[in-house]
Amino acid sequence: MLDLAIIGGGPAGLTAGLYATRGGLENVVMYEKGMPGGAITLSSEVENYPGITETVSGMELMEKWPEQCMRFGLRHEMAEVSRVSRPEGLCFKIQLSNGSVESAKSVIVCTGSTPRRAGFKGEKEFLGRGVSTCATCDGFFYRDKEVAVIGGGDTALEEALYLAKICSRVYLIHRRDEFRAAPSTVKRIKESDKIELILNAVPEEVYGDAMGVSGLKVKRKDTGEVIDLPVPGVFVFVGFDVNNEVLRQEDGTFLCDLNEHGEVIVDLAMKTSESGLFAAGDIRIMSPKQVVCAAGDGANAAIGAIAYVEHLHREKLC
Ligand code: FAD
Ligand code: NAP
């Protein structure tokens, strides 16, 4: 039986693995369905991770993380987890998509969340090269330049306000003429002289070349007019899918408490409502969705998992 199963090998999962093994847990497996590294490996430019003095790609940032964890005994299994459950007693059951089953004394879920795509031409091709889903990460690259923001929810409007502090102009494109966002946020948007609203409009195509994005074509829904915005940056905020499926049980309920958006509710120690089950990184409530925060969460959760497993051993519960 594993002391700890870590689900997901992004910054949260890798850091959890590092802290858990270096902190004394001996039988720790990190299940990652692809190569370890996580969502940040999609980014071509990262400059806000502490200690990085030059801009690096997400791949470069994450390159040495797995090697560091493996030194202390973390094992990586390239496998997709289909479900984590607790059918009886204190042990967790880890079911893999390939049909295998493993059991673990504690679990840290670090499967992240996935920004939704708006679905316009070029969006996927230019992701990380001018199309972004993170203003905190990429806004600085467009300092004193014009950018476009797509979406009408709280995230889009709050990020548009953030970008308006850095960029010379922000075009906020929304498919309706009413916003979903909180009225107070909408008021601030309307008061900003840096934000230009393009309403009842949908993005049609982002275009550019090998260097990145050079513009966005937007179509007005009422007149059919196409507006060509010569922007080097396009920020898409059309919602998130929380990767919480591994926690869904056979009867459709979830193993631990989630909020109304499907994010895992944790306390400051990354403990969920289920003892011995922790969640870290972008999957948790109020996540700032930053590498440094996900890594911090992973360390925090691992420290909790070590204490939990030691308690089981001390009390001879497992
Ligand atoms: P993730 O990195 O999403 O990792 C989750 C991992 O779990 C993935 O590797 C996935 O394959 C795996 N997984 C999911 N489900 C399963 C399963 N069922 N079984 C097995 N494995 C599974 N942050 C910054 O701080 N600075 C930046 O400049 C920055 N730029 C970004 C640019 C882009 C294009 C993107 C997409 C994100 C950016 N971010 C940036 C955000 C950052 O990438 C995330 O906050 C961070 O990666 C979250 O880490 P995580 O470990 O919680 O989740
Ligand atoms: P959201 O509320 O689901 O809003 C997504 C927005 O994107 C909507 O305006 C939607 O348009 C638009 N959209 C969706 N698909 C699109 C497409 N294909 N093309 C163009 N536009 C598209 O997502 P969110 O803003 O990320 O917020 C998620 C949740 O977190 C919400 O409940 C939100 O209130 C909450 N949140 C709260 C705060 C806060 O309280 N400060 C901050 C951030 C997020 P329509 O409006 O036409 O559907």
Side-chain angles (χ1 to χ4, degrees):
M1 178 178 324
L2 302 176
D3 278 341
L4 170 65
I6 297 167
I7 324 294
L14 284 163
T15 312
L18 171 65
Y19 273 70
T21 49
R22 195 167 176 276
L25 292 187
E26 285 186 351
N27 202 2
V28 184
V29 170
M30 180 185 78
Y31 295 97
E32 165 56 59
K33 61 185 176 184
M35 291 302 287
I40 192 64
T41 58
L42 293 174
S43 174
S44 56
E45 291 181 318
V46 184
E47 59 179 15
N48 60 359
Y49 192 77
I52 299 292
T53 51
E54 283 176 18
T55 304
V56 293
S57 70
M59 282 284 194
E60 286 166 331
L61 178 71
M62 300 310 295
E63 196 185 339
K64 289 200 177 298
W65 291 39
E67 186 188 323
Q68 185 189 17
C69 309
M70 306 308 164
R71 268 180 61 204
F72 297 101
L74 178 69
R75 284 184 286 139
H76 166 217
E77 196 167 318
M78 196 187 275
E80 183 178 38
V81 172
S82 52
R83 180 173 296 142
V84 179
S85 57
R86 202 175 215 175
E88 53 195 37
L90 283 170
C91 293
F92 291 96
K93 182 177 167 191
I94 316 294
Q95 287 170 257
L96 306 184
S97 300
N98 63 16
S100 309
V101 177
E102 185 55 91
S103 52
K105 292 172 193 170
S106 63
V107 176
I108 305 178
V109 182
C110 312
T111 44
S113 69
T114 311
R116 287 191 198 131
R117 297 222 172 100
F120 54 90
K121 197 172 165 204
E123 182 185 22
K124 190 175 168 196
E125 182 191 342
F126 285 104
L127 185 67
R129 297 194 302 121
V131 172
S132 171
T133 53
C134 179
T136 317
C137 315
D138 299 329
F140 192 75
F141 297 124
Y142 305 102
R143 192 166 52 151
D144 300 328
K145 294 180 180 159
E146 298 195 340
V147 294
V149 167
I150 294 155
D154 280 304
T155 306
L157 271 61
E158 287 181 9
E159 300 304 291
L161 287 166
Y162 173 88
L163 289 166
K165 289 185 225 155
I166 305 169
C167 305
S168 58
R169 183 144 222 70
V170 177
Y171 298 99
L172 178 59
I173 297 143
H174 180 37
R175 63 186 178 185
R176 294 187 293 137
D177 59 4
E178 280 181 1
F179 293 105
R180 240 170 231 279
S184 58
T185 312
V186 177
K187 185 167 177 280
R188 287 171 61 210
I189 286 280
K190 289 183 174 165
E191 283 168 0
S192 169
D193 56 7
K194 288 253 200 99
I195 299 176
E196 187 172 318
L197 299 181
I198 304 182
L199 302 179
N200 286 317
V202 286
E204 273 221 318
E205 178 184 359
V206 63
Y207 57 88
D209 54 27
M211 299 300 289
V213 165
S214 44
L216 175 73
K217 288 184 182 159
V218 177
K219 189 174 187 175
R220 285 200 193 276
K221 282 165 72 184
D222 40 8
T223 60
E225 178 198 359
V226 174
I227 308 165
D228 197 345
L229 301 170
V231 289
V234 176
F235 288 82
V236 182
F237 302 114
V238 296
F240 287 92
D241 291 321
V242 183
N243 301 328
N244 57 22
E245 275 305 307
V246 295
L247 295 167
R248 194 188 288 276
Q249 307 300 287
E250 237 172 301
D251 63 3
T253 62
F254 285 89
L255 181 57
C256 61
D257 293 345
L258 310 181
N259 70 6
E260 69 274 27
H261 307 303
E263 296 157 340
V264 179
I265 298 174
V266 290
D267 66 10
L268 289 174
M270 303 300 134
K271 287 181 187 164
T272 69
S273 58
E274 187 74 21
S275 67
L277 177 69
F278 301 79
D282 284 7
I283 192 175
R284 70 155 167 97
I285 48 162
M286 298 185 73
S287 167
K289 297 191 170 59
Q290 295 292 290
V291 174
V292 67
C293 305
D297 283 4
N300 206 349
I303 290 166
I306 294 168
Y308 176 79
V309 172
E310 280 175 356
H311 162 78
L312 292 183
H313 291 175
R314 221 174 19 251
E315 302 296 324
K316 300 198 180 351
L317 294 169
C318 223

